[in-house]
């Protein structure tokens, strides 16, 4: 509906990202272990892991992309 108006709607779908706000929870022996077991890459994401996708979506390189989500999830969404 918005594409003809030149408006692109895209998103980044991260997994658990280790930040000051999430660090305590991700390091919880029960919660963190369970979550980490579902990430095939075997680690929590870092903010730097998301930056490239955001920069790409904000750049002219993604001008012909719309209605997409880039999953930055360490393979968590792969079934």
């Amino acid at each position: 509906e918005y594409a003809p108006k030149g408006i692109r709607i895209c998103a980044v779908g991260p997994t658990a990202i280790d930040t000051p706000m999430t660090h305590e929870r991700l390091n919880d022996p029960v919660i963190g272990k369970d979550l980490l077991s579902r990430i095939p890459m075997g680690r929590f994401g870092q903010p730097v892991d998301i930056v490239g996708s955001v920069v790409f979506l904000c750049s002219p390189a993604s001008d012909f992309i719309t209605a997409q989500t880039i999953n930055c999830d360490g393979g968590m969404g792969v079934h």
Side-chain angles (χ1 to χ4, degrees):
E1 153 181 9
Y2 292 103
K5 299 174 182 176
I7 299 170
R8 300 178 309 113
I9 300 172
C10 295
V12 174
T15 187
I17 304 299
D18 192 2
T19 68
M21 188 184 304
T22 63
H23 187 77
E24 185 176 332
R25 177 158 238 170
L26 295 181
N27 285 286
D28 178 278
V30 175
I31 296 169
K33 183 179 179 182
D34 177 59
L35 184 56
L36 192 59
S37 73
R38 293 184 268 148
I39 302 174
M41 291 188 85
R43 67 178 180 85
F44 295 121
Q46 299 296 316
V48 69
D49 295 321
I50 309 304
V51 171
S53 295
V54 173
V55 170
F56 168 70
L57 288 174
C58 292
S59 77
S62 70
D63 281 353
F64 201 57
I65 297 173
T66 192
Q68 299 298 312
T69 299
I70 298 176
N71 291 314
C72 300
D73 63 3
M76 190 173 183
V78 178
H79 300 283

